[in-house]
Amino acid sequence: MNRFIVVGADGSDAATAAVEWAADDAARAAARLHIVHAVDRSPYEIATFSTPGQGDAIALSAQSVLADAEAVARKRQPGIDVTSELYEGAAAAVLRGQAGNASEIVIGGRGLGGFPGAVLGSVSTHVAGHAHGPVVVVRSDPGTVFGEIVIGLDDYHAGEPALAYAFEQAMLRMSTLRAVRAWRPPVHAHVPESTHDLDEIHATQCRIATDTLQGWRQRYPQVQVIEDVQQTHPVDALAKASEKADLVVVGSQGRGAIGTVMLGSVTLGVLHHARNSVAVVRP
């Protein structure tokens, strides 16, 4: 078994949901599940917070988190191969470092240490913005099934890996794939003297969506595809579609230098506003 899925565990409810989600995906894909927990000792190395024996307490707590996560995964999917490992360092850096060999990384939307009321945790944002390959941010109860995967269509070649991931997810889940392409009219399209024909623009966008999906339909003939072309902002369209989707898949151009810039405004907007889980797929 060469494929493996990495999931981050920290003992929070969000991380537990991520472990359940990852266990289900491992079962569908016949992949090994690798649970990781990061121990960041830096706060305890400051003299003000130094306590004799604190290191042992941290290690015991970390082992307990891993044991509990393994138990959750095995109960959820008894037949899968589960391993776990404890790492030293910041959680975001540890998870990002797992991206090289994993088929996907799964994380909770907000773990321990998140600010009350925060929509998305800093670890989730960092990993989704930096790790190559699919990063799934679990935002929903894995027990709720809608039978639909949503993919956002764009004009960039960076979207090809996202399409591949979305079609595979739809095939493994035997779900419908809703391909959403959202467009906005030119700034002066509604001016009376404007030569823009909105119906023609819409028809062109529909043709682009059909052409983009043609090859993928042939590779995955068993997947039912709905082409959903809308005149609206992409974030609004995908957030709305997420309400009845098991997963929303978005590509990322991978441009920019630091932080969330690498996600792009649409991808970041979907991560913050989607009602259910989101997979960000960077080349």
Side-chain angles (χ1 to χ4, degrees), residues 4 8 51 63-64 68 76 78 93-94 108 119 123 129 141 208-209 218 220:
F4 71 96
T51 305
Q63 293 296 340
S64 177
D68 290 346
R76 181 80 179 187
V94 168
V119 178
V123 172
D141 179 4
I208 292 172
Q218 294 172 352
Y220 293 88

Side-chain angles (χ1 to χ4, degrees), residues 74-97:
R74 296 184 191 280
K75 181 179 180 180
R76 181 80 179 187
Q77 293 292 342
I80 63 174
D81 182 11
V82 182
T83 59
S84 62
E85 191 167 359
L86 183 63
Y87 291 86
E88 297 274 348
V94 168
L95 288 167
R96 179 182 175 184

Side-chain angles (χ1 to χ4, degrees), residues 140-213:
S140 54
D141 179 4
T144 302
V145 178
F146 295 102
E148 185 167 289
I149 303 295
V150 171
I151 173 70
L153 301 181
D154 58 31
D155 295 321
Y156 300 98
H157 292 298
E160 292 293 301
L163 279 163
Y165 181 81
F167 268 91
E168 182 180 25
Q169 282 286 324
M171 179 190 69
L172 292 174
R173 296 166 178 265
M174 294 184 289
S175 297
T176 298
L177 180 64
R178 178 177 297 274
V180 176
R181 182 175 178 85
W183 63 277
R184 288 172 292 174
V187 176
H188 302 295
H190 298 289
V191 176
E193 295 81 9
S194 172
T195 59
H196 295 291
D197 186 330
L198 296 183
D199 290 337
E200 179 57 32
I201 294 174
H202 186 81
T204 299
Q205 296 297 324
C206 289
R207 287 194 294 271
I208 292 172
T210 298
D211 292 344
T212 301
L213 295 167

Side-chain angles (χ1 to χ4, degrees), residues 14 20 31 38 57 59 61 84 98 115 135 140 156 162 170 173 189 208 234-235 241 266 274:
E20 291 178 333
S61 176
S84 62
Q98 297 290 313
F115 294 102
V135 175
S140 54
Y156 300 98
R173 296 166 178 265
I208 292 172
V235 173
V266 171

Side-chain angles (χ1 to χ4, degrees), residues 4-71:
F4 71 96
I5 294 169
V6 171
V7 59
D10 65 6
S12 66
D13 291 341
T16 298
V19 170
E20 291 178 333
W21 196 101
D24 289 347
D25 219 35
R28 283 188 290 264
R32 175 165 55 91
L33 180 63
H34 187 54
I35 304 172
V36 303
H37 176 62
V39 174
D40 186 0
R41 298 179 185 271
S42 55
Y44 303 99
E45 292 170 352
I46 301 173
T48 306
F49 299 101
S50 180
T51 305
Q54 183 68 54
D56 294 337
I58 295 172
L60 288 173
S61 176
Q63 293 296 340
S64 177
V65 167
L66 283 176
D68 290 346
E70 278 199 50

